[in-house]
Every structure is written in C-alpha cells, then in structure tokens.
Amino acid sequence: VLGLMSILCACNDDIGTPLRVASHEWPGYEPLHLARELGFYEERKIHVYEVPSATSTIRAFRNGYIDVAALTLDEALLLLQDQVPIKILLVMDLSNGADAVMGNPLSVQNLPDLKGKRVGVESSALGAYMLSRTLSKANLSEQDVQAIYIPFNKHVSAYQQQQIDALVTFEPNETLVMQAGGKVLIDSRELSNEIFDVLVIRENVIASHRDAIHQLLEGWFKALAYIDAQPQDAAKRIAKRINISPEEFLASLNDIVIPNLEQNKQFLSGEEPQLLPAGQRLANIMTQHQLLATPIDASALIYNDIQKLLP
C-alpha cells in the first residue's frame, strides 16, 4: 500500500511540486502575470516568476530551475539545437512593430548611418537576429558596426547616457527610448511573421503536470478575456509591474498580435500546423546568418497531443 501511495503522490501534481513558469518584461507576456494576480492560478500548482531578461530566462531553463519559459521562437530553436527537449504550449504573440532598432537622431538618421556606430543589443538570439536582419536591409555587415552587449534592463539608461548610437530593443523600452528622443529606424512590421513569442515546456514534465498545464493555459485565455472586458483595470495592474503608464501599455498592444484559442489550435495542431512554415523559414534564415550552427527541423517543437492540453 505504501508503495502504491508513493507512486500516486509522484504522479499527482496536486501533491507534487508546482509548475515553475518564468518570463521577463514584455507586453505579450503580461497576461501570465495578470492571471496570477487575478487568482486564476493556484499557488500550489503554478508559480509564475519574473526574471530580468531573456538571457536570464534561458539560463534558468537550461539549469532546470524552471519548467516553462516565455521565449521568442528563435530562442526556442537555439534550445532545440542544444538538444534541450522542449515543446511549444502556446503561441503568445506575433510582433508587429514592438521590436525595433532605435537611433539617436544626432548621429543616426537612417539604416546606412549605422556604419561605424555603436549599437547596443542584448546578448540573446532575438537581439542577434534583429541586428542581423537590420544590417542585411542596410547592406552592411556585422564588421561595419560596433556591437555593445547590454542587458535589457540597462537599455534605456545606456541610451540616455549616450553610451551607444543605436539600440536593438523592444517594448516597453521602445516607448521609453522614444520619450528620450530616440527614433525608430526599423521595426518588426518590416519583418512580417518572423518574430513569434512562444510558451515552451520541458517535455519530461508534461506527463506529471497535466492538471497544472491545463490551468496555466486556461488562465492565460481568461486573462486575455479580462483585458478585452476590463482594459483600463487590466492596464493599471500591468503598468505598475512594467513601469509604464496604463495608456502606454494599451498602445503597445497595437504593436503585437495575440492569437486566441482557435488561432492557437491552427498554429499548433492538425496535419500542417501553421507555425511550422514560419518556424522552418526562421530556422533557415538563422542558419544562413550563422545564428544556428547546423540546420534544425522546426517540427520537433510541435507537441502532437496539444489539443489535449489546450482548454
């Protein structure tokens, strides 16, 4: 009997360890934290953590400190290359202007002006990808600029202190840098369907945490419904966390597309999940630009039984 009880305890995520979820500041990730604040997640089942940057999220995921991570699709592909066994649970958002390269108008008016300039960029896959695609559009090479690696939480101060001439960044920093006089040189509207944010899970925790996963995803869509129904209250709650005004948060939602449940099903399930062509194209671009060491099959990110996990 004791042996049976121990097996039941090990398999029951009501009794076992909570599902550990982490994200950094980004408007498209905020429904996770809103769901927690509104009580959609039971503390004994789900812990949602905030970390300072994408780099921190990936490090925590690699080291086994978290089970679920909010990442850009290119970061997920990098984990796959490193043989970290992950699956996508959710397409959180598509960037439609929220990722940008900003310039100081005193020294950088347009993309060709980047030549010879100091460009601040986070040491992350998305940072490298945005810089690579920007230089490609400017007909410049990586040797033509001086890349300065700056963590996301230092982007605004680095710009204000004129440590850089241009900056690869994203919301809410994009808004803050614009307030400091920065000019958008290029944004993700010009890189259509290339920048996705996804919620990934370590594959070996799916079986042991099915109830928590279901609650995590259900809470996400409930939070989206809350933002639609109570935008002012939702924006007030979120703005406190990410240090911008409620109006700026609501405006930032114009620069991303957040798929609903049915759209997620189309992205992630069926014989031809819609995410796959975009994911494979992204993997091929990353390989061409030497952001991936070897070609990657993006279909490895798709979880075949995702319909059983989605609400």
Side-chain angles (χ1 to χ4, degrees), residues 68-85:
V68 178
L71 300 172
T72 52
L73 183 55
D74 47 295
E75 289 162 349
L77 289 166
L78 283 171
L79 286 174
L80 201 61
Q81 174 188 254
D82 294 342
Q83 300 184 316
V84 180

Side-chain angles (χ1 to χ4, degrees), residues 107-184:
S107 56
V108 181
Q109 286 284 337
N110 51 46
L111 291 182
D113 287 346
L114 289 170
K115 186 167 186 177
K117 300 298 193 301
R118 303 163 301 167
V119 182
V121 59
E122 190 178 6
S123 178
S124 68
L126 178 59
Y129 182 76
M130 276 293 288
L131 181 58
S132 172
R133 295 289 282 123
T134 299
L135 293 174
S136 174
K137 284 186 175 285
N139 293 317
L140 298 173
S141 73
E142 291 184 22
Q143 287 69 44
D144 287 326
V145 299
Q146 182 187 349
I148 299 175
Y149 295 102
I150 302 170
F152 175 74
N153 55 339
K154 306 275 197 226
H155 280 191
V156 179
S157 60
Y159 179 85
Q160 290 170 332
Q161 292 163 21
Q162 299 186 348
Q163 297 168 8
I164 49 177
D165 303 295
L167 178 66
V168 180
T169 195
F170 48 87
E171 292 290 8
N173 283 354
E174 183 181 341
T175 294
L176 297 172
V177 171
M178 283 179 75
Q179 289 171 354
K183 173 184 175 182
V184 175

Side-chain angles (χ1 to χ4, degrees), residues 171-218:
E171 292 290 8
N173 283 354
E174 183 181 341
T175 294
L176 297 172
V177 171
M178 283 179 75
Q179 289 171 354
K183 173 184 175 182
V184 175
L185 302 173
I186 183 175
D187 66 27
S188 49
R189 286 185 187 89
E190 296 181 54
L191 306 173
S192 180
N193 280 357
E194 290 189 30
I195 300 176
F196 287 79
D197 283 291
V198 291
L199 195 65
V200 302
I201 187 166
R202 200 178 301 279
E203 193 173 3
N204 62 359
V205 304
I206 293 175
S208 60
H209 287 75
R210 280 187 176 265
D211 286 351
I213 293 165
H214 187 81
Q215 188 178 108
L216 178 71
L217 300 180
E218 190 172 53

Side-chain angles (χ1 to χ4, degrees), residues 271-283:
E271 288 185 16
E272 296 181 2
Q274 285 183 5
L275 185 65
L276 265 188
Q280 196 57 58
R281 183 175 69 246
L282 176 59

